[in-house]
Amino acid sequence: TTVTVSSTASHPIPTTLWGQMFEDISSGDGGLYGELLQNRAFQQVTPGTSAALNAWQAVNRASVSVVADSVKLSNALPNALRVQIPTGVSGQTGVANTGYFGIRVNSAWTYTASFFYRFPTASSFRGNAVISLQTSSSQVLGSATVALSGAQTSWTQVTAKITPTSSPSATDNLFVVSVDGAAASGQTINFGLFSLFPPTFKNRANGMRMDVAEALAEMQPSFFRFPGGNNLEGNSLPSRWQWNNTVGPLTQRPGRAGTWGYINTDGLGLYEYLLWCEDVGMEPIMAVWDGFDLGGSSVAEANLQPYIQQAIDQINFVIGNPTTSAPAAMRSSLGHPAPFKLTHVEIGNEDFIGNAPSTIAYRWNHFASTLRSTFPQLRFLATSNVNSPRLTPQPQEWDLHVYQTPTWFAQNSFMYDDFARDGTLYFEGEYAAISTNPNDIFGSPSDGRLTFPTVQSAVGEAAFMTGLERNSDIVFAASYAPLLNHVANSQWTPNLVSFDSANVYRSTSFYVQKLFSLNRGDQYIPSTLPSRTGTLFWSVVSKQTNTIIIKVVNVATSAQTIAFNLPFSGISTTGTAQVLTGAATASNSPTTPNAVAPASHSIPVGKTFSYSAPANSLSVLTLGIN
Ligand SMILES: O=S(=O)(O)O[C@H]1C[C@H](O)[C@@H](O)[C@@H]1CO
């Protein structure tokens, strides 16, 4: 194959081209969000049930149960953990939390622990509670004591710091709050809103888990789509994501039943998302709920106004003027008087699913008309199938999603070449090769579904991404989905990054996303087009004025040589190749965390040069122009 490269760029490449899509799908609580305790505030549970005690267990014969306390901690957090100390017990007795499938204990960290407590009946008890991190065999790894008073019948919060003395490799550790059984014999104590935080990314209060955050930031994403995805929509109207339930003190956040089968604490809320975007240098692509829930019901046209107002308030929380908007004033009071950066707002999610198409026309019309006139500086994305049904006002931007096989991605890199250039812009908001079985894309691993990305799936995505880069005159953003999952509790596979309570696993697809993101250009340089159904793909971009970057993708199972004719003089004689390759089915996983990683080496280059692309590979060739 010989590729002749043009001497002039066809279009500037949008700075937002590569980024991340996020929703809580075994990825927020217990993942990116730093809180280490699961079911920390007994949100959205039925008192007296075993489910209410999820992740909690009694220590040394205490009797524990979740109750609807007659004196509520707050309207948002009405449930409490009632701990009754039996008579005749010696030694520490109380309650333990098992975290999100483990708790990492690291002696290099100082943990911040806290809880609320009250004595439902005043008592003469005065004594210490011990807050500790323990192994599963009750070895104390670190602890702190706080004084409790039986006179305290209203809710009060106690906080303590814990610096462990060792770092066990095991993660089946426990967070324990206990009192001396003899001293507290017969006492009843109510607890609420426990919390245990390790140090966080950028040391943010209520912030992100460092190692997960650092892995996501390492990809240098330019945007962050949130809060979903299905998890925006809710499985019912009352359980939809509501911005105002996710901001302010944690005692004001009721949590909700997420759409992925577990309760969301909403400790990772709108303000945390926006600070996260600023800390990583991303702009939000923020979604507003648009009147359709995954139970299949739509808000009637006549009843849309309150939900449109809620969307207006959500947007004003992000960009509004604190002197004229209450939500903006709240943002300011939380510490961010200036507006956050926001350009793109997505209206709904996947409005092509189920019976959403039957009501999208009026829902879009009312949401888009009102929001566009309220915020003329913003651009609003539709999520239905393009022009099916036709929508008014005509959408400026669309979010398209595709989950397919590696082969599909390799054979559809020209998808956007065939799109009309009519001013509409596109966000490839969710894409991933998730199965090798074209007849059962969303099936089980025994039917071709991938558990972790493979070299083959990542290289198929890379081929598709050369097409996104070529068509970045109309594709302004693209993101793999889902971004992140806890390997012990997945609602979806494969994911870009996986983790457990002590480790982060960067997938083959993560390295493809990172190679494209860290080697993006300013201008796209046209060249001889690849064959649409071939096995060799490439894209050429220029960076500033003195660098050419060529991405070469070989989806074949044997090496292929590609020759380049460059029209530029002064090409250096040595370039760099960053290559991701390996056995087609190789994956990075908890058992093989570093099976596949990019490697760099220098290559001979010039006005004309040849490059041998390995089988199953993405190569990023970087050439200097003197
Ligand atoms: O069941 S699906 O609709 O395929 O779910 C997909 C599409 C949806 O937007 C996202 O939340 C989810 C996984 O990324």
Side-chain angles (χ1 to χ4, degrees):
T1 301
T2 299
V3 177
T4 301
V5 176
S6 163
S7 57
T8 52
S10 56
H11 64 269
I13 296 174
T15 57
T16 49
L17 185 54
W18 307 119
Q20 291 173 348
M21 179 274 174
F22 181 85
E23 66 177 317
D24 203 329
I25 174 171
S26 66
S27 57
D29 286 335
L32 178 59
Y33 179 52
E35 174 62 63
L36 294 173
L37 304 184
Q38 184 172 185
N39 191 19
R40 69 178 178 186
F42 317 99
Q43 294 164 299
Q44 305 295 327
V45 294
T46 305
T49 62
S50 58
L53 280 169
N54 175 37
W56 290 98
Q57 58 197 46
V59 172
N60 190 13
R61 293 179 44 210
S63 139
V64 301
S65 67
V66 174
V67 297
D69 197 331
S70 54
V71 177
K72 291 186 284 192
L73 172 52
S74 64
N75 286 334
L77 302 178
N79 291 335
L81 185 72
R82 171 161 293 172
V83 178
Q84 292 166 305
I85 309 302
T87 55
V89 170
S90 63
Q92 291 299 109
T93 171
V95 69
N97 188 281
T98 52
Y100 284 94
F101 318 98
I103 298 176
R104 179 183 178 187
V105 177
N106 183 345
S107 59
W109 293 347
T110 293
Y111 293 74
T112 303
S114 65
F115 57 80
F116 286 77
Y117 84 96
R118 81 178 193 96
F119 279 70
T121 306
S123 89
S124 60
F125 177 80
R126 302 285 182 280
N128 284 339
V130 177
I131 308 173
S132 59
L133 297 172
Q134 300 183 14
T135 67
S136 55
S137 53
S138 305
Q139 178 203 346
V140 175
L141 299 165
S143 69
T145 60
V146 291
L148 301 187
S149 163
Q152 186 68 50
T153 56
S154 61
W155 286 103
T156 188
Q157 186 176 34
V158 294
T159 298
K161 299 287 185 186
I162 298 175
T163 305
T165 52
S166 68
S167 309
S169 56
T171 57
D172 59 343
N173 303 305
L174 299 172
F175 169 83
V176 180
V177 175
S178 60
V179 293
D180 176 81
S185 172
Q187 296 296 324
T188 296
I189 310 171
N190 286 3
F191 292 91
L193 183 52
F194 293 81
S195 180
L196 177 71
F197 262 81
T200 60
F201 183 71
K202 305 255 183 191
N203 205 26
R204 286 268 185 209
N206 198 42
M208 308 302 186
R209 172 177 155 175
M210 283 188 295
D211 55 351
V212 170
E214 283 156 2
L216 298 186
E218 180 182 309
M219 200 191 100
Q220 294 178 23
S222 302
F223 69 83
F224 196 75
R225 175 180 174 227
F226 69 85
N230 285 353
N231 204 40
L232 161 77
E233 300 180 66
N235 289 327
S236 66
L237 184 137
S239 68
R240 72 192 186 281
W241 187 87
Q242 300 186 60
W243 76 273
N244 43 301
N245 286 345
T246 77
V247 295
L250 296 178
T251 51
Q252 302 306 317
R253 305 191 197 183
R256 60 182 272 264
T259 58
W260 293 103
Y262 55 89
I263 293 156
N264 293 182
T265 68
D266 282 338
L268 170 50
L270 179 51
Y271 191 62
E272 287 79 24
Y273 279 127
L274 294 166
L275 292 180
W276 163 246
C277 288
E278 277 192 343
D279 286 347
V280 176
M282 302 182 286
E283 68 174 80
I285 296 183
M286 182 177 76
V288 295
W289 191 76
D290 75 343
F292 177 78
D293 66 59
L294 290 174
S297 61
S298 297
V299 172
E301 185 166 9
N303 301 338
L304 283 174
Q305 186 47 39
Y307 306 100
I308 295 173
Q309 184 58 50
Q310 193 168 23
I312 290 170
D313 293 344
Q314 178 183 331
I315 295 168
N316 270 323
F317 180 86
V318 181
I319 60 172
N321 178 341
T323 62
T324 56
S325 149
M330 180 180 204
R331 179 192 75 234
S332 184
S333 74
L334 293 171
H336 203 285
F340 285 98
K341 180 173 173 51
L342 180 69
T343 303
H344 304 279
V345 172
E346 186 151 350
I347 295 181
N349 175 63
E350 295 207 333
D351 264 315
F352 55 80
I353 289 279
N355 54 15
S358 65
T359 58
I360 182 59
Y362 74 74
R363 289 185 291 110
W364 168 266
N365 178 264
H366 289 281
F367 272 90
S369 306
T370 309
L371 294 178
R372 281 168 62 157
S373 63
T374 310
F375 303 102
Q377 74 276 36
L378 299 182
R379 299 176 66 83
F380 294 91
L381 292 102
T383 69
S384 55
N385 287 326
V386 177
N387 289 323
S388 168
R390 282 217 159 274
L391 302 175
T392 51
Q394 178 67 27
Q396 305 150 301
E397 300 177 348
W398 248 288
D399 172 12
L400 307 187
H401 298 171
V402 58
Y403 295 98
Q404 261 291 353
T405 62
T407 302
W408 185 94
F409 280 99
Q411 294 184 343
N412 286 274
S413 66
F414 281 75
M415 170 179 155
Y416 284 100
D417 295 70
D418 305 332
F419 274 54
R421 265 61 180 172
D422 60 8
T424 306
L425 298 181
Y426 297 92
F427 169 34
E428 188 61 45
E430 297 176 26
Y431 65 96
I434 68 169
S435 173
T436 55
N437 181 348
N439 303 315
D440 185 7
I441 300 292
F442 299 92
S444 64
S446 59
D447 204 24
R449 185 70 173 266
L450 297 177
T451 303
F452 296 96
T454 60
V455 167
Q456 181 192 41
S457 68
V459 169
E461 288 148 11
F464 187 70
M465 292 165 76
T466 64
L468 298 176
E469 203 160 51
R470 178 174 60 247
N471 291 285
S472 54
D473 59 318
I474 60 170
V475 178
F476 73 91
S479 42
Y480 180 104
L483 176 64
L484 190 60
N485 79 308
H486 195 308
V487 293
N489 173 41
S490 294
Q491 276 73 37
W492 181 288
T493 67
N495 298 268
L496 196 66
V497 176
S498 295
F499 59 88
D500 54 33
S501 44
N503 306 285
V504 179
Y505 307 101
R506 291 161 174 78
S507 73
T508 53
S509 291
F510 169 84
Y511 286 119
V512 163
Q513 293 290 321
K514 182 181 173 183
L515 282 168
F516 271 80
S517 183
L518 272 61
N519 296 285
R520 52 181 97 192
D522 319 308
Q523 305 275 334
Y524 187 76
I525 312 282
S527 62
T528 311
L529 286 176
S531 157
R532 286 181 175 231
T533 56
T535 55
L536 201 55
F537 302 90
W538 55 90
S539 76
V540 183
V541 300
S542 64
K543 190 173 180 178
Q544 277 91 34
T545 56
N546 58 359
T547 303
I548 297 291
I549 300 172
I550 305 175
K551 295 159 183 107
V552 178
V553 180
N554 178 7
V555 303
T557 52
S558 53
Q560 297 193 72
T561 297
I562 183 167
F564 289 96
N565 290 326
L566 299 171
F568 313 110
S569 55
I571 299 275
S572 51
T573 53
T574 303
T576 305
Q578 301 173 78
V579 184
L580 183 81
T581 188
T585 57
S587 287
N588 290 336
S589 71
T591 52
T592 58
N594 303 303
V596 182
S600 290
H601 63 277
S602 62
I603 53 170
V605 294
K607 206 163 165 30
T608 60
F609 72 98
S610 287
Y611 174 73
S612 173
N616 306 315
S617 67
L618 162 64
S619 304
V620 178
L621 312 182
T622 305
L623 297 70
I625 302 180
N626 305 322

